[in-house]
Amino acid sequence: MSEHLQLTVDGAVATLTIDRPAKRNAMSHAMWSALPGLMDRVERDEAVRVLVIQGGDHFSAGADISEFGTLRSGAEGARAYSEVVHAGERAIATLSKPVIAAITGFCVGGGCEIALACDIRLAAEDSRFGITPAKLGIIYHFMSTKRLVEAVGPAWAKQILLSAELIDAATALRIGLVNEVHPAADLAARAKELAAVLASRAQVSVRGGKAVINRITDGLHVEDEDLHALFEASYTSPEYAEGVQAFLDKRPPRF
């Protein structure tokens, strides 16, 4: 695991903090490599229902370009480096539990890649966003580009990728790159509040809903046997029984 990625758990909410302030939380090869193992820990911890990913003054300024001359040198090195980055991003995106990004400061390049792998993105008013492969002679990874297009549409995806310009939080909200924008001083509290809401809901619904949405964005057009099994599991779950009974009793459900 990387010393610059800190995973903590408080009740049903896990928090992954990107902690490399001297580099504006730029992601090193070691940090990308650590993400799958960290996500596996979150996945296997049955007490954890929600993950929040955050930075400090900055969410992440992107990949650590100072490593590119060595670790990303040549076609083979570039391919291997890209595979490590994609494995880290994919580990976040495929987590069965909901993931909230609490975005402060710079959210650029690889930082934006991490944010787009999250299910919900909350941003501070002074945050800035950009994806800058056009400044480096790199073509952005297919799946990461797909997530960008799904969030903002093809026209804005082209502007963001082709111009490599930064956009402000208000623009990010307007185009759908983030869900909410808050004063920087209020962002952590809002992320904690939303995480608590998600953790309080029926987890068969939360995780099932995320799975169905992901299947739709992956191109599924009709229900298949996997979805039928998912629906069947919800019908017979203790949470379904509790939700119905709580409604009849006129009380909050205890999930």
Side-chain angles (χ1 to χ4, degrees):
M1 299 301 172
S2 171
E3 62 180 307
H4 300 299
L5 294 172
Q6 311 299 330
L7 182 64
T8 59
V9 176
D10 182 10
V13 179
T15 301
L16 179 65
T17 302
I18 306 172
D19 184 23
R20 201 185 182 197
K23 288 270 192 174
R24 292 181 174 174
N25 285 346
M27 294 287 294
S28 67
H29 184 275
M31 293 164 72
W32 288 113
S33 299
L35 284 174
L38 289 166
M39 293 304 103
D40 185 58
R41 283 171 56 186
V42 174
E43 188 71 59
R44 289 186 291 105
D45 190 335
E46 294 182 1
V48 172
R49 294 185 168 193
V50 183
L51 172 65
V52 175
I53 300 181
Q54 64 182 15
D57 292 336
H58 301 284
F59 186 75
S60 175
D64 186 350
I65 299 172
S66 68
E67 296 182 331
F68 281 20
T70 53
L71 296 177
R72 208 179 184 280
S73 179
E76 185 175 341
R79 188 179 303 109
Y81 191 98
S82 179
E83 288 174 357
V84 169
V85 172
H86 178 56
E89 176 268 344
R90 181 100 181 130
I92 297 170
T94 57
L95 194 71
S96 70
K97 303 170 184 183
V99 186
I100 300 170
I103 301 164
T104 50
F106 286 119
C107 181
V108 180
C112 210
E113 195 164 7
I114 291 171
L116 282 164
C118 298
D119 301 298
I120 298 172
R121 289 170 289 281
L122 312 179
E125 288 176 337
D126 58 354
S127 55
R128 296 292 182 271
F129 301 81
I131 304 174
T132 56
K135 289 184 176 181
L136 298 167
I138 295 171
I139 298 176
Y140 203 44
H141 192 278
F142 172 79
M143 283 303 300
S144 298
T145 302
K146 179 177 180 290
R147 297 192 209 287
L148 177 64
V149 173
E150 289 167 354
V152 304
W156 265 104
K158 288 176 182 177
Q159 181 164 337
I160 290 169
L161 285 176
L162 276 57
S163 73
E165 292 179 338
L166 300 188
I167 61 174
D168 59 23
T171 302
L173 179 64
R174 177 168 58 85
I175 67 177
L177 186 58
V178 300
N179 297 68
E180 301 177 10
V181 171
H182 299 278
D186 299 338
L187 183 67
R190 173 54 183 154
K192 183 177 181 179
E193 175 189 49
L194 182 57
V197 169
L198 299 183
S200 73
R201 303 308 189 203
Q203 293 305 292
V204 69
S205 302
V206 170
R207 297 180 197 181
K210 174 174 176 173
V212 172
I213 292 168
N214 287 346
R215 295 293 298 279
I216 292 168
T217 57
D218 286 343
L220 186 71
H221 296 293
V222 295
E223 294 179 10
D224 59 12
E225 289 305 313
D226 289 340
L227 285 187
H228 290 161
L230 197 66
F231 297 143
E232 184 67 25
S234 73
Y235 305 151
T236 59
S237 71
E239 288 179 307
Y240 173 66
E242 166 61 12
V244 172
Q245 191 60 52
F247 179 84
L248 296 174
D249 294 344
K250 296 182 171 56
R251 60 172 175 81
R254 293 183 290 270
F255 296 126

